[in-house]
């Protein structure tokens, strides 16, 4: 019944964790973890350096920075300010020096709240390209401020065009030095919903989190650096059942009468349990994606946090401390 199975996730960190369960090491993949207990921000950098590593991970070659912050789900301005500074620092490092113009692309559908992160981030950005073109660099407030433009291309059902077609046309016309793409992602763990931010220089495939594959937006295609920022806002139904099963197994193991049953289920690895669940649950639930009930407020907070981080990264040539 259970064959080869790839857990659906947009996070490189989770793709790597599936190998850690088998105590496997992947050639061409390097992991670096740092922890800031005071700020409660946990950073994992996954560097996929070779094509062998890319095939094993199911992700393109590149650097994937994952910020895990439980306080992302809490309406605490101080915590969100610290996270914005972390975003600014990492985006600044990936952009590097000499980046004068940046195009920000807010992917997603405004009409679907869990998918509205990209458009909401663009709403709060400080856009400067038109001021610089009209009045010169003296019109901006800080020396070294980047020329920032932005677009919310919508989805194919609204425009009849691939997102890549729209972005390629804008890049050709406006000639930015780099593109920053914002999108909502899918996770395989409910505990990472709205509490995790992934930043990568490997580009992005719009819609991949919900199995709706579109042409990718990457440096190889556009010819300029592409930085993708995403937050997991949905999980599929099988993930929720899987998390519940793991909790059940732990509870059964604590009971002498039920330990045998718990042990049988516990012998399955994560991928096997996930595959078993997908085959057992109703076909109607198998394609269902779920998001928290407070997603409206969460998207609003997250969009401010990410946009403030980008505004910091774009406002000065100096790296944020």
């Amino acid at each position: 019944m259970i064959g080869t199975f790839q857990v659906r996730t947009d996070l490189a960190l989770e793709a790597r964790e599936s190998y850690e369960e088998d105590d496997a090491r992947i050639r061409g993949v390097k992991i670096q973890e740092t922890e800031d207990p005071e700020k409660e921000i946990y950073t994992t950098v996954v560097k996929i350096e070779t094509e062998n590593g890319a095939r094993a991970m199911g992700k393109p070659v590149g650097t994937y920075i994952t910020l895990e912050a439980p306080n992302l789900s809490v309406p605490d301005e101080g915590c969100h300010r610290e996270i914005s500074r972390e975003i600014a620092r990492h985006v600044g490092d990936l952009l590097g020096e000499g980046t004068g113009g940046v195009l920000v692309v807010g992917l997603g559908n405004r009409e679907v709240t869990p998918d509205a992160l990209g458009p909401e981030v663009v709403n709060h950005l400080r856009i400067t390209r038109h001021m610089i073109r009209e009045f010169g660099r003296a019109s901006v407030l800080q020396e070294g401020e980047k020329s920032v433009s932005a677009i919310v291309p919508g989805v194919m059902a609204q425009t009849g065009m691939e997102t890549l077609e729209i972005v390629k046309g804008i890049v050709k016309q406006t000639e930015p030095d780099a593109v920053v793409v914002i999108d909502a992602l899918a996770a395989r763990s409910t505990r990472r919903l709205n509490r995790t931010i992934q930043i990568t220089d490997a580009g992005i495939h719009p819609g991949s989190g919900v199995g709706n594959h579109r042409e990718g937006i990457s440096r190889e295609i556009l010819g300029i650096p592409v930085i993708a920022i995403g937050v997991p806002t949905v999980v599929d139904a099988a993930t929720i059942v899987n998390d519940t099963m793991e909790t059940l197994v732990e509870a059964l193991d604590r009971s002498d009468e039920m330990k045998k049953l718990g042990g049988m289920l516990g012998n399955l690895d994560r991928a096997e349990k996930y595959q078993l669940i997908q085959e057992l649950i109703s076909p109607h639930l198998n394609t269902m994606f779920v998001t928290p009930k407070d997603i409206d407020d969460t998207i609003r907070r997250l969009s401010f946090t990410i946009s403030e981080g980008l505004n910091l990264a774009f406002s000065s040539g100096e790296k944020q401390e």
Side-chain angles (χ1 to χ4, degrees), residues 10-31:
D10 289 321
L11 300 177
L13 172 63
E14 292 185 334
R16 180 66 186 92
E17 285 175 346
S18 65
Y19 287 93
E20 288 179 353
E21 291 170 359
D22 299 326
D23 196 25
R25 293 184 180 181
I26 306 174
R27 286 186 179 181
V29 178
K30 293 183 178 179
I31 311 291

Side-chain angles (χ1 to χ4, degrees), residues 31-272:
I31 311 291
Q32 180 183 357
E33 298 178 337
T34 57
E35 179 180 343
D36 189 332
E38 184 178 345
K39 299 177 183 177
E40 294 188 70
I41 300 175
Y42 309 91
T43 305
T44 304
V45 180
V46 178
K47 290 187 177 181
I48 303 176
E49 299 178 330
T50 66
E51 290 300 328
N52 175 70
R55 285 192 297 272
M57 293 281 288
K59 305 287 180 187
V61 171
T63 299
Y64 299 80
I65 302 164
T66 305
L67 305 178
E68 295 183 87
N71 290 326
L72 266 175
S73 61
V74 178
D76 185 323
E77 290 187 10
C79 294
H80 283 257
R81 190 177 301 113
E82 294 295 340
I83 296 166
S84 293
R85 288 172 180 161
E86 283 295 301
I87 294 171
R89 181 170 67 86
H90 290 298
V91 170
D93 288 342
L94 291 177
L95 282 176
E97 298 180 4
T99 302
V102 179
L103 169 65
V104 180
V105 181
L107 296 179
N109 188 343
R110 281 187 200 274
E111 309 304 322
V112 180
T113 306
D115 197 33
L117 179 66
E120 288 297 318
V121 169
V122 168
N123 283 349
H124 308 309
L125 282 178
R126 174 174 161 76
I127 306 299
T128 58
R129 181 176 182 269
H130 61 300
M131 294 191 295
I132 293 173
R133 284 170 58 86
E134 186 73 21
F135 305 108
R137 288 205 170 266
S139 63
V140 297
L141 299 177
Q142 299 186 42
E143 174 130 5
E145 189 159 0
K146 302 185 190 310
S147 171
V148 180
S149 56
I151 181 67
V152 177
V155 294
M156 182 177 285
Q158 297 169 328
T159 65
M161 294 178 284
E162 287 276 3
T163 300
L164 179 61
E165 294 175 325
I166 298 172
V167 174
K168 283 177 72 174
I170 294 172
V171 167
K172 181 178 180 181
Q173 185 67 30
T174 63
E175 299 182 339
D177 297 313
V179 172
V180 175
V181 184
I182 319 293
D183 198 11
L185 307 178
R188 79 166 190 181
S189 171
T190 53
R191 69 182 177 84
R192 289 197 170 99
L193 275 182
N194 303 319
R195 297 180 178 90
T196 304
I197 298 174
Q198 178 174 269
I199 306 169
T200 177
D201 60 3
I204 198 166
H205 284 77
S208 61
V210 294
N212 186 17
H213 295 280
R214 292 286 180 251
E215 290 190 66
I217 302 173
S218 64
R219 181 172 192 153
E220 289 72 24
I221 295 174
L222 296 182
I224 57 176
V226 175
I227 296 173
I229 302 175
V231 176
T233 61
V234 297
V235 293
D236 62 9
T239 292
I240 296 175
V241 178
N242 180 70
D243 288 351
T244 304
M245 177 184 284
E246 291 188 349
T247 303
L248 174 63
V249 169
E250 292 174 3
L252 291 175
D253 284 342
R254 291 193 293 269
S255 169
D256 292 335
E257 294 80 6
M258 302 298 292
K259 187 172 291 186
K260 185 176 180 180
L261 176 58
M264 293 172 58
L265 294 174
N267 288 333
L268 298 176
D269 63 28
R270 181 185 292 268
E272 289 173 333

